[in-house]
Amino acid sequence: MDIESRLAAYRRDGYTIFEAVYDADTVAAWRDECDRLEASHVGALQQPLRWWFGNMLERSPGLMWPAVSNPQIVAFAERVMGPFVQLDNLTLAAFPPIPREAAAGRVTAWHRDRWAGFPTGEYRNPVSINAICYLQDLTDETGPLRVRVGSHIEPIEMAPDEMMQPHPDEALIYLRAGDVIVTHNGLVHSGSPNISADKRYFFSIYYNSSWMKHTDTFDGPNCQQLIRWARQRNDHRSLRLLGTDDHLQTRGNSGFLQPDEARWRQWSDEDAAALDDSNPT
Ligand SMILES: O=C(O)CCC(=O)C(=O)O
């Protein structure tokens, strides 16, 4: 799908799917990393309901940076949010299976994502987006992703007693391992209980605007090393992902007298021209 059609579908539906972004070996390495973190976890006296590891870029930079900086995904994010795309948080998760009886008639929990607002009936550019990658195929056993299509535009309310139940207007999405779904922060969505024989793994790369605070920290040695590498390359896209936007004052106070998209394109082109990738290491 070309990027303009993808953008139009994303604006209409509240999500878009990039198929087969990662191969089986890459996906297996992320699953192994989740198991490794679980095994090295101190303090858990009993099996938790879910494993949830934040700050994954600092924990596993070599494994996770290629996903955070994936050119296809970040280029799309820049078309949606402008060249203001920062990593808010990167979370690797695994949900152990639960008994089939406990899962009957349940969903994980309907929600809109962090930094969203209640929609007004008109499309608004999101200040944050979620790029979710599942590390096994989603089936009725591993649990599909559920979405309410268009709920990033429509002021759809859900009462507390509806939060954990399937909804008649839901769409079930059966992503394959290695696909990436990019959602608008206003899209109402939920996971599904895992009744398979294995854990249900995924990671969520949550991007927000570089005008905002970020949830993960970038002051650990691994992220600092990435920042030095990006600085050497004059790589503004990577610097922004890592919480440093050199153009924040000029671009964030540009006067706003031209349509956003034209300015965004110009700024993205300037960033690409400034990049010095003669020293890739
Ligand atoms: O468990 C899932 O499939 C959904 C994950 C989710 O809701 C999220 O990352 O915001």
Side-chain angles (χ1 to χ4, degrees), residues 95 108 111 113 130 132 134 144-145 189-192 200 202 204:
F95 291 20
T108 307
H111 62 285
D113 271 334
N130 203 347
I132 306 175
Y134 293 92
L145 176 66
H189 63 284
S190 169
S192 302
R200 178 179 187 269
F202 69 91
S204 151

Side-chain angles (χ1 to χ4, degrees), residues 180-241:
V180 174
I181 182 167
V182 177
T183 57
H184 186 290
N185 63 7
L187 184 76
V188 175
H189 63 284
S190 169
S192 302
N194 173 20
I195 52 170
S196 75
D198 199 359
K199 283 178 275 189
R200 178 179 187 269
Y201 300 83
F202 69 91
F203 64 77
S204 151
I205 303 185
Y206 205 71
Y207 299 103
N208 69 355
S209 167
S210 57
W211 303 11
M212 298 166 69
K213 293 178 178 170
H214 43 84
T215 303
D216 281 358
T217 56
F218 304 132
D219 46 12
N222 292 326
C223 288
Q224 285 297 309
Q225 193 177 18
L226 278 170
I227 290 170
R228 279 195 297 279
W229 165 82
R231 178 62 72 199
Q232 275 167 11
R233 290 159 40 95
N234 203 30
D235 182 346
H236 292 291
R237 178 185 273 181
S238 296
L239 285 167
R240 272 194 303 271
L241 286 170

Side-chain angles (χ1 to χ4, degrees), residues 5-261:
S5 320
R6 187 180 281 290
L7 204 50
Y10 176 87
R11 290 187 172 140
R12 183 192 63 223
D13 299 336
Y15 68 93
T16 183
I17 297 169
F18 293 82
E19 286 178 9
V21 178
Y22 300 112
D23 62 21
D25 288 348
T26 309
V27 164
W30 286 323
R31 274 201 312 266
D32 290 349
E33 181 64 356
C34 196
D35 291 342
R36 185 189 71 81
L37 290 167
E38 182 183 332
S40 66
H41 197 75
V42 178
L45 295 177
Q46 57 188 35
Q47 176 78 342
L49 286 177
R50 60 189 69 177
W51 293 100
W52 203 261
F53 298 107
N55 272 303
M56 277 307 302
L57 185 58
E58 180 59 33
R59 288 184 203 257
S60 312
L63 275 180
M64 302 314 306
W65 176 248
V68 171
S69 62
N70 181 307
Q72 191 186 18
I73 305 295
V74 179
F76 181 74
E78 289 191 351
R79 291 294 306 273
V80 171
M81 299 168 57
F84 297 102
V85 179
Q86 149 181 284
L87 175 63
D88 178 59
N89 72 85
L90 169 47
T91 301
L92 182 60
F95 291 20
I98 63 170
R100 195 173 279 268
E101 317 77 73
R106 308 281 290 178
V107 305
T108 307
W110 291 108
H111 62 285
R112 292 186 166 93
D113 271 334
R114 185 183 298 230
W115 321 118
F118 195 69
T120 58
E122 286 180 9
Y123 179 85
R124 302 188 65 161
N125 293 323
V127 294
S128 54
I129 63 176
N130 203 347
I132 306 175
C133 179
Y134 293 92
L135 306 183
Q136 64 287 302
D137 293 349
L138 295 188
T139 62
D140 287 329
E141 276 66 44
T142 57
L145 176 66
R146 296 159 186 264
V147 302
R148 302 222 21 213
V149 179
S151 55
H152 62 308
I153 296 176
E154 298 306 324
I156 288 174
E157 292 183 49
M158 291 186 81
D161 63 354
E162 293 179 296
M163 261 185 71
M164 311 293 276
Q165 291 171 12
H167 193 277
D169 297 337
E170 71 190 3
L172 303 186
I173 306 184
Y174 295 90
L175 291 137
R176 309 289 305 262
D179 292 349
V180 174
I181 182 167
V182 177
T183 57
H184 186 290
N185 63 7
L187 184 76
V188 175
H189 63 284
S190 169
S192 302
N194 173 20
I195 52 170
S196 75
D198 199 359
K199 283 178 275 189
R200 178 179 187 269
Y201 300 83
F202 69 91
F203 64 77
S204 151
I205 303 185
Y206 205 71
Y207 299 103
N208 69 355
S209 167
S210 57
W211 303 11
M212 298 166 69
K213 293 178 178 170
H214 43 84
T215 303
D216 281 358
T217 56
F218 304 132
D219 46 12
N222 292 326
C223 288
Q224 285 297 309
Q225 193 177 18
L226 278 170
I227 290 170
R228 279 195 297 279
W229 165 82
R231 178 62 72 199
Q232 275 167 11
R233 290 159 40 95
N234 203 30
D235 182 346
H236 292 291
R237 178 185 273 181
S238 296
L239 285 167
R240 272 194 303 271
L241 286 170
L242 294 156
T244 302
D245 187 345
D246 291 338
H247 299 107
L248 196 58
Q249 293 307 324
T250 46
R251 294 179 182 174
N253 189 18
S254 66
F256 301 102
L257 299 176
Q258 278 98 39
D260 286 341
E261 288 228 358

